[in-house]
Amino acid sequence: MTNNQLFDGIALFVQVVKSSGFGAAAQAMGHSNSYVSKEIVKLENRLGVRLLNRTTRSISLTPEGKSYYQECLQLISDAEQAVAHITQSTVEPKGTLKISCPVWFGKHYLKDVFSAYLTRYPDVVIDLDMSDKAIDVIGDGYDLVIRASAKLDESSLICKRIYSSRICTVASPEYIAKHGRPMHPTELSSHHCFCYSNLKKSNIWDYMDKAGNQTSVDVHQRIRSNNTEVTGVSV
């Protein structure tokens, strides 16, 4: 690859991934579908790898494409910052910001944040998916994903904690009156438990006593749900 071809196709490739397709990317960048398709093929040929899996209805990143996409995002960000530095101006955000966040978190914490952000950056459109389900951040084309988790999987993505909360085991007075009050976590295996199905092991509840001793309990899953706001269910 010659130096004058080094950055050819990078901006188009990033736009195709963000737009989730060649047609939307072509429209966003003012090109024809065929031009965008040909430029991506040229880029893949120069790199010697396939970056995108294509079907008649959708595209998805290959493992090599996911890695290359992250590097391209950084390159574009660095280039924009370099231009801003030289021209002594700031690069104002514009375009669509695709976000996914849990239902409860979006309802209770993000409304004012989104309102302030959109007021500050009038050229930005927020595409918001409120869901607790597990997603493919790169493959699904998200710019920002918020998730609640005790532990994150190993990933090359940039992660930052924005909120912390305690997890408590609770029961209604009516349930206690009917089934009795467990005095130790291990007794939960014989009780009716509400489990969060988006966790890999929703039936395993972990506890730690004041001395630091850990206990894992395989609870009885009477109800499983992918939404933490399900309430008013009597068992």
Side-chain angles (χ1 to χ4, degrees):
M1 183 189 305
T2 59
N3 288 336
N4 62 348
Q5 294 179 313
L6 191 59
F7 297 101
D8 289 359
I10 285 180
L12 276 175
F13 169 63
V14 169
Q15 188 62 53
V16 167
V17 176
K18 286 187 174 183
S19 302
S20 300
F22 290 91
Q27 185 176 8
M29 301 194 75
H31 295 301
S32 65
N33 288 12
S34 60
Y35 175 82
V36 173
S37 180
K38 289 177 181 178
E39 288 301 303
I40 297 301
V41 170
K42 288 179 182 178
L43 177 61
E44 290 177 324
N45 290 338
R46 289 201 308 273
L47 295 173
V49 296
R50 179 176 288 276
L51 300 173
L52 298 168
N53 293 315
R54 304 161 174 82
T55 67
T56 56
R57 294 186 177 182
S58 65
I59 63 166
S60 62
L61 286 163
T62 64
E64 294 82 5
K66 290 182 180 180
S67 176
Y68 189 65
Y69 177 68
Q70 290 300 313
E71 298 294 339
C72 289
L73 286 177
Q74 188 61 54
L75 285 172
I76 292 175
S77 176
D78 290 344
E80 290 174 341
Q81 290 181 28
V83 171
H85 178 74
I86 294 298
T87 59
Q88 299 297 310
S89 63
T90 58
V91 179
E92 288 293 329
K94 62 181 178 179
T96 300
L97 186 64
K98 191 173 181 180
I99 301 173
S100 177
C101 70
V103 176
W104 66 270
F105 195 82
K107 289 173 60 178
H108 296 289
Y109 293 99
L110 295 182
K111 289 187 293 184
D112 292 340
V113 174
F114 289 149
S115 179
Y117 184 87
L118 292 174
T119 299
R120 183 174 180 180
Y121 302 113
D123 293 328
V124 174
V125 175
I126 292 179
D127 181 358
L128 177 63
D129 169 57
M130 296 180 66
S131 170
D132 294 351
K133 67 180 181 180
I135 62 173
D136 181 348
V137 179
I138 302 300
D140 293 337
Y142 285 98
D143 300 298
L144 172 66
V145 173
I146 300 173
R147 284 295 181 268
S149 176
K151 184 179 180 181
L152 293 175
D153 294 333
E154 290 294 328
S155 172
S156 61
L157 299 175
I158 299 173
C159 303
K160 183 178 182 180
R161 178 181 295 174
I162 60 173
Y163 183 82
S164 297
S165 64
R166 296 178 61 190
I167 299 177
C168 301
T169 303
V170 299
S172 68
E174 293 79 9
Y175 179 89
I176 296 297
K178 182 177 180 180
H179 299 284
R181 177 181 178 181
M183 303 306 295
H184 191 272
T186 54
E187 297 177 32
L188 291 173
S189 58
S190 60
H191 280 266
H192 305 298
C193 297
F194 184 108
C195 295
Y196 183 50
S197 62
N198 280 329
L199 297 176
K200 288 184 177 180
K201 295 183 179 180
S202 59
N203 61 307
I204 303 299
W205 291 8
D206 296 318
Y207 295 87
M208 179 182 295
D209 62 22
K210 293 181 180 180
N213 300 312
Q214 293 186 339
T215 301
S216 294
V217 185
D218 187 350
V219 302
H220 175 46
Q221 299 184 94
R222 191 66 190 278
I223 303 176
R224 297 177 72 247
S225 175
N226 64 349
N227 192 317
T228 58
E229 292 195 319
V230 176
T231 58
V233 180
S234 177
V235 292

